PDB file of all heavy atoms in Angstrom:
ATOM      1  N   MET P 353     -20.781  -5.090   4.770  1.00 89.00           N
ATOM      2  CA  MET P 353     -20.110  -5.867   3.715  1.00 89.00           C
ATOM      3  C   MET P 353     -18.711  -6.318   4.141  1.00 89.00           C
ATOM      4  O   MET P 353     -18.061  -7.085   3.431  1.00 89.00           O
ATOM      5  CB  MET P 353     -19.929  -5.000   2.455  1.00 89.00           C
ATOM      6  CG  MET P 353     -21.166  -4.816   1.612  1.00 89.00           C
ATOM      7  SD  MET P 353     -20.893  -3.466   0.399  1.00 89.00           S
ATOM      8  CE  MET P 353     -19.587  -4.138  -0.602  1.00 89.00           C
ATOM      9  N   ILE P 397      -3.713  13.430   9.595  1.00 98.00           N
ATOM     10  CA  ILE P 397      -2.289  13.745   9.468  1.00 98.00           C
ATOM     11  C   ILE P 397      -1.584  12.675   8.647  1.00 98.00           C
ATOM     12  O   ILE P 397      -1.764  11.475   8.884  1.00 98.00           O
ATOM     13  CB  ILE P 397      -1.628  13.856  10.868  1.00 98.00           C
ATOM     14  CG1 ILE P 397      -2.392  14.867  11.736  1.00 98.00           C
ATOM     15  CG2 ILE P 397      -0.154  14.252  10.742  1.00 98.00           C
ATOM     16  CD1 ILE P 397      -2.072  14.794  13.218  1.00 98.00           C
ATOM     17  N   PRO P 400       3.207  14.360   2.889  1.00 98.00           N
ATOM     18  CA  PRO P 400       2.624  15.177   1.814  1.00 98.00           C
ATOM     19  C   PRO P 400       1.968  14.356   0.689  1.00 98.00           C
ATOM     20  O   PRO P 400       0.853  14.680   0.262  1.00 98.00           O
ATOM     21  CB  PRO P 400       3.829  15.972   1.289  1.00 98.00           C
ATOM     22  CG  PRO P 400       4.733  16.092   2.468  1.00 98.00           C
ATOM     23  CD  PRO P 400       4.578  14.805   3.241  1.00 98.00           C
ATOM     24  N   ILE P 442       8.876   8.542  10.974  1.00 98.00           N
ATOM     25  CA  ILE P 442      10.240   8.069  10.707  1.00 98.00           C
ATOM     26  C   ILE P 442      10.254   7.457   9.314  1.00 98.00           C
ATOM     27  O   ILE P 442       9.395   6.619   8.989  1.00 98.00           O
ATOM     28  CB  ILE P 442      10.651   7.024  11.769  1.00 98.00           C
ATOM     29  CG1 ILE P 442      10.575   7.670  13.159  1.00 98.00           C
ATOM     30  CG2 ILE P 442      12.034   6.458  11.496  1.00 98.00           C
ATOM     31  CD1 ILE P 442      10.153   6.723  14.225  1.00 98.00           C
ATOM     32  N   GLY P 461       6.435   6.463  27.746  1.00 94.00           N
ATOM     33  CA  GLY P 461       7.271   5.781  26.754  1.00 94.00           C
ATOM     34  C   GLY P 461       6.656   5.904  25.365  1.00 94.00           C
ATOM     35  O   GLY P 461       5.689   6.644  25.182  1.00 94.00           O
ATOM     36  N   ARG P 473      17.682  -1.101   1.841  1.00 98.00           N
ATOM     37  CA  ARG P 473      18.866  -0.239   2.010  1.00 98.00           C
ATOM     38  C   ARG P 473      19.334   0.364   0.690  1.00 98.00           C
ATOM     39  O   ARG P 473      20.166   1.263   0.671  1.00 98.00           O
ATOM     40  CB  ARG P 473      19.995  -1.019   2.671  1.00 98.00           C
ATOM     41  CG  ARG P 473      19.781  -1.148   4.174  1.00 98.00           C
ATOM     42  CD  ARG P 473      20.178  -2.500   4.688  1.00 98.00           C
ATOM     43  NE  ARG P 473      20.021  -2.630   6.116  1.00 98.00           N
ATOM     44  CZ  ARG P 473      19.036  -3.333   6.710  1.00 98.00           C
ATOM     45  NH1 ARG P 473      18.108  -3.936   5.977  1.00 98.00           N
ATOM     46  NH2 ARG P 473      18.978  -3.427   8.020  1.00 98.00           N
ATOM     47  N   MET P 577       4.135  16.781  -7.776  1.00 97.00           N
ATOM     48  CA  MET P 577       4.689  17.126  -6.468  1.00 97.00           C
ATOM     49  C   MET P 577       6.216  17.054  -6.435  1.00 97.00           C
ATOM     50  O   MET P 577       6.833  17.341  -5.405  1.00 97.00           O
ATOM     51  CB  MET P 577       4.108  16.213  -5.381  1.00 97.00           C
ATOM     52  CG  MET P 577       2.615  16.419  -5.181  1.00 97.00           C
ATOM     53  SD  MET P 577       1.952  15.338  -3.885  1.00 97.00           S
ATOM     54  CE  MET P 577       2.586  16.154  -2.405  1.00 97.00           C
ATOM     55  N   THR P 600      -4.472   3.475 -31.053  1.00 98.00           N
ATOM     56  CA  THR P 600      -4.577   3.563 -32.515  1.00 98.00           C
ATOM     57  C   THR P 600      -3.274   4.119 -33.099  1.00 98.00           C
ATOM     58  O   THR P 600      -2.726   3.595 -34.075  1.00 98.00           O
ATOM     59  CB  THR P 600      -5.746   4.504 -32.931  1.00 98.00           C
ATOM     60  OG1 THR P 600      -6.932   4.016 -32.321  1.00 98.00           O
ATOM     61  CG2 THR P 600      -5.915   4.584 -34.440  1.00 98.00           C
ATOM     62  N   GLY P 616      -4.164  -3.158 -14.836  1.00 95.00           N
ATOM     63  CA  GLY P 616      -4.889  -4.400 -15.123  1.00 95.00           C
ATOM     64  C   GLY P 616      -4.118  -5.679 -14.868  1.00 95.00           C
ATOM     65  O   GLY P 616      -4.532  -6.748 -15.319  1.00 95.00           O
ATOM     66  N   ILE P 650      -2.167 -11.185  -6.396  1.00 85.00           N
ATOM     67  CA  ILE P 650      -2.681 -11.031  -5.038  1.00 85.00           C
ATOM     68  C   ILE P 650      -3.415 -12.321  -4.673  1.00 85.00           C
ATOM     69  O   ILE P 650      -4.309 -12.760  -5.394  1.00 85.00           O
ATOM     70  CB  ILE P 650      -3.599  -9.785  -4.945  1.00 85.00           C
ATOM     71  CG1 ILE P 650      -2.741  -8.526  -5.178  1.00 85.00           C
ATOM     72  CG2 ILE P 650      -4.287  -9.717  -3.578  1.00 85.00           C
ATOM     73  CD1 ILE P 650      -3.520  -7.247  -5.367  1.00 85.00           C
ATOM     74  N   ARG P 656      -6.990 -14.652  -8.577  1.00 92.00           N
ATOM     75  CA  ARG P 656      -6.382 -15.782  -9.291  1.00 92.00           C
ATOM     76  C   ARG P 656      -7.194 -16.131 -10.532  1.00 92.00           C
ATOM     77  O   ARG P 656      -6.646 -16.373 -11.605  1.00 92.00           O
ATOM     78  CB  ARG P 656      -6.309 -17.016  -8.387  1.00 92.00           C
ATOM     79  CG  ARG P 656      -5.126 -17.027  -7.461  1.00 92.00           C
ATOM     80  CD  ARG P 656      -5.075 -18.378  -6.754  1.00 92.00           C
ATOM     81  NE  ARG P 656      -4.748 -18.261  -5.346  1.00 92.00           N
ATOM     82  CZ  ARG P 656      -3.507 -18.160  -4.876  1.00 92.00           C
ATOM     83  NH1 ARG P 656      -2.488 -18.174  -5.703  1.00 92.00           N
ATOM     84  NH2 ARG P 656      -3.284 -18.046  -3.596  1.00 92.00           N
ATOM     85  N   TYR P 660      -5.996 -15.677 -14.374  1.00 96.00           N
ATOM     86  CA  TYR P 660      -5.937 -16.855 -15.238  1.00 96.00           C
ATOM     87  C   TYR P 660      -6.642 -16.553 -16.565  1.00 96.00           C
ATOM     88  O   TYR P 660      -6.126 -16.822 -17.645  1.00 96.00           O
ATOM     89  CB  TYR P 660      -6.598 -18.058 -14.545  1.00 96.00           C
ATOM     90  CG  TYR P 660      -6.723 -19.260 -15.439  1.00 96.00           C
ATOM     91  CD1 TYR P 660      -5.620 -20.084 -15.659  1.00 96.00           C
ATOM     92  CD2 TYR P 660      -7.921 -19.548 -16.107  1.00 96.00           C
ATOM     93  CE1 TYR P 660      -5.713 -21.171 -16.511  1.00 96.00           C
ATOM     94  CE2 TYR P 660      -8.015 -20.631 -16.958  1.00 96.00           C
ATOM     95  CZ  TYR P 660      -6.912 -21.444 -17.160  1.00 96.00           C
ATOM     96  OH  TYR P 660      -6.994 -22.506 -18.006  1.00 96.00           O
ATOM     97  N   ALA P 717       8.382 -14.066  17.001  1.00 98.00           N
ATOM     98  CA  ALA P 717       8.523 -13.256  18.221  1.00 98.00           C
ATOM     99  C   ALA P 717       8.814 -14.146  19.432  1.00 98.00           C
ATOM    100  O   ALA P 717       9.533 -13.737  20.344  1.00 98.00           O
ATOM    101  CB  ALA P 717       7.266 -12.419  18.441  1.00 98.00           C
ATOM    102  N   GLU P 740      -0.574  -1.108  31.374  1.00 86.00           N
ATOM    103  CA  GLU P 740      -0.345  -0.038  32.369  1.00 86.00           C
ATOM    104  C   GLU P 740       1.138   0.207  32.523  1.00 86.00           C
ATOM    105  O   GLU P 740       1.921  -0.715  32.665  1.00 86.00           O
ATOM    106  CB  GLU P 740      -0.969  -0.417  33.718  1.00 86.00           C
ATOM    107  CG  GLU P 740      -2.457  -0.210  33.686  1.00 86.00           C
ATOM    108  CD  GLU P 740      -3.105  -0.229  35.056  1.00 86.00           C
ATOM    109  OE1 GLU P 740      -2.401  -0.470  36.053  1.00 86.00           O
ATOM    110  OE2 GLU P 740      -4.328  -0.005  35.105  1.00 86.00           O
TER     111      GLU P 740
END
Side-chain angles (χ1 to χ4, degrees):
M353 283 167 64
I397 306 165
I442 301 146
R473 282 141 178 106
M577 294 180 74
T600 304
I650 294 169
R656 277 187 222 277
Y660 173 79
E740 283 194 357

